[in-house]
């Protein structure tokens, strides 16, 4: 059944969102979400809170995370759903994936200092909810506060993306490791927002083929990062590769996110929704 208000992608203060899991759950429920997953970047520390908050708000829950992966020189995000949040191999893998963020943040600040933006590390830290998870988003918020840019989008465009002064190349997890951590913990791996990557057609084909070969089983079709034309394109890709389809807003903050929780169109009816494959993992 595709006619389900499932929102299986969003972020809390445990990564780079601005709401605590309890407030996200209340907001999702108020927006009509029936099945919810909190998917913090490289981190599952909010999962027990989120599951309890989902229950308190009358929603079904799937555990979630969004793992940063390096593939063909680009950062790709792999969403994991329905895994055991106490799985130790997965926790160890995520600790390792988070590990480089502190040093990277200092380098980002050095790059920004070179173009005259002082104190960005300390400024970004004020927005960080989890000391192990300082992200570019936190720098974005500080640069808006400091009046350098009008919104975080502009910060990314001018300062934090490849070739810009605050961009630091980084090596994240491998695709195979991320998919295995999720699958071995009983979950289902999903390629997040595929239209966002700057891949050639061949590279994208390689991503989907290798993802499948490693045991990946889903792809986000309806996401806050896709246009309606991209829903159609990736519905076809899902069918071509025999992948189940996911739906999620990628909500981060009431002040920043264009797509609120639970407000996207339903998944196209001809696709297999990921939650059909995860029926026994729904709480
Ligand atoms: P990081 O994991 O530190 O590289 O940060 C990645 C995060 O930055 C993403 O998950 C988004 O939340 C945010 N981000 C990436 N690109 C943009 C953009 N153009 N505008 C606003 N936020 C962005
Ligand atoms: Mn994010
Ligand atoms: Mn992402
Ligand atoms: Mn996300």
């Amino acid at each position: 059944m595709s006619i389900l208000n499932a929102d299986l992608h969003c972020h809390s203060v445990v990564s780079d969102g601005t709401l605590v899991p309890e407030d996200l759950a209340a907001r999702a429920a108020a927006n009509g979400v029936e099945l919810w997953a909190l998917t913090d970047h490289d981190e599952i520390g909010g999962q027990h809170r989120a599951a309890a908050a989902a229950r308190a708000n009358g929603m079904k829950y799937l555990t979630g995370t969004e793992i940063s992966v390096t593939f063909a020189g680009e950062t790709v995000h792999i969403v994991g759903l329905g895994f055991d949040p106490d799985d130790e191999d997965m926790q160890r893998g995520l600790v390792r994936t988070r590990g480089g963020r502190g040093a990277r943040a200092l380098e980002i600040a050095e790059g920004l200092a070179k173009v005259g933006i002082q104190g960005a590390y300390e400024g970004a830290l004020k927005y960080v909810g989890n000391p192990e998870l300082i992200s570019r988003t936190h720098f974005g918020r500080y640069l808006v506060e400091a009046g350098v840019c009008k919104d975080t989008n502009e910060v990314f465009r001018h300062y934090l993306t490849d070739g810009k002064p605050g961009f630091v190349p980084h090596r994240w997890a491998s695709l195979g490791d991320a998919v295995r951590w999720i699958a071995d913990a009983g979950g289902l791996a999903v390629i997040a927002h595929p239209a966002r990557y700057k891949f050639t057609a061949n590279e994208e084909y390689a991503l989907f083929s290798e993802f499948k070969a490693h045991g990946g089983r889903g792809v986000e079709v309806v996401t806050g990062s896709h246009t309606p034309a991209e829903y159609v394109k990736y519905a076809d890709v899902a069918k071509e590769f025999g992948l189940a389809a996911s739906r999620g807003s990628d909500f981060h903050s009431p002040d920043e996110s264009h797509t609120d929780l639970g407000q996207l169109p339903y998944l196209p009816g001809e696709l297999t929704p990921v939650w059909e494959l995860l029926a026994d993992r729904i709480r």
Side-chain angles (χ1 to χ4, degrees), residues 202-220:
N202 282 342
E203 287 168 338
E204 187 182 79
Y205 187 87
L207 170 66
F208 277 83
S209 322
E210 289 182 34
F211 173 73
K212 280 263 322 188
H214 288 301
R217 298 174 69 198
V219 58
E220 283 185 347

Side-chain angles (χ1 to χ4, degrees), residues 9-11 16 39 41 66 77 79 192-193 196 250-252:
H9 190 151
C10 68
H11 301 273
D16 62 348
T39 56
H41 296 285
E66 182 178 20
H77 286 168
V79 163
H193 44 62
R196 282 239 311 254
D250 208 355
F251 181 81
H252 282 70

Side-chain angles (χ1 to χ4, degrees), residues 65-142:
T65 185
E66 182 178 20
I67 305 180
S68 312
V69 156
T70 301
F71 182 85
E74 275 265 359
T75 299
V76 166
H77 286 168
I78 301 295
V79 163
L81 297 171
F83 51 83
D84 168 10
D86 300 317
D87 184 88
E88 289 184 3
D89 282 337
M90 181 162 182
Q91 284 175 342
R92 264 193 295 275
L94 293 179
V95 167
R96 231 189 310 136
T97 308
R98 292 195 293 272
R101 282 186 179 269
R104 171 189 185 237
L106 289 168
E107 279 188 70
I108 290 175
E110 268 175 46
L112 294 172
K114 284 189 188 133
V115 294
I117 302 166
Q118 305 299 331
Y121 180 73
E122 294 72 18
L125 271 187
K126 291 192 298 177
Y127 292 91
V128 169
N130 172 357
E132 285 184 48
L133 219 118
I134 182 162
S135 99
R136 284 184 292 164
T137 312
H138 302 113
F139 282 91
R141 291 187 184 130
Y142 173 65

Side-chain angles (χ1 to χ4, degrees), residues 42 53 67 76-77 115 122-124 128 137 145 154 158 160 171 175 180 192 202 214 232 242-243 246 279:
D42 308 325
I67 305 180
V76 166
H77 286 168
V115 294
E122 294 72 18
V128 169
T137 312
E145 175 203 315
E154 193 181 305
H158 294 298
L160 298 179
R171 184 149 190 106
L175 179 65
R180 267 189 302 278
N202 282 342
H214 288 301
V232 175
L243 293 169
S246 192

Side-chain angles (χ1 to χ4, degrees), residues 199-259:
F199 285 139
T200 63
N202 282 342
E203 287 168 338
E204 187 182 79
Y205 187 87
L207 170 66
F208 277 83
S209 322
E210 289 182 34
F211 173 73
K212 280 263 322 188
H214 288 301
R217 298 174 69 198
V219 58
E220 283 185 347
V221 171
V222 176
T223 130
S225 300
H226 284 180
T227 63
E230 288 162 346
Y231 304 159
V232 175
K233 173 177 174 187
Y234 287 97
D236 286 343
V237 172
K239 282 183 270 182
E240 179 189 347
F241 284 90
L243 293 169
S246 192
R247 172 182 190 258
S249 57
D250 208 355
F251 181 81
H252 282 70
S253 162
D255 302 327
E256 296 161 12
S257 298
H258 300 297
T259 310

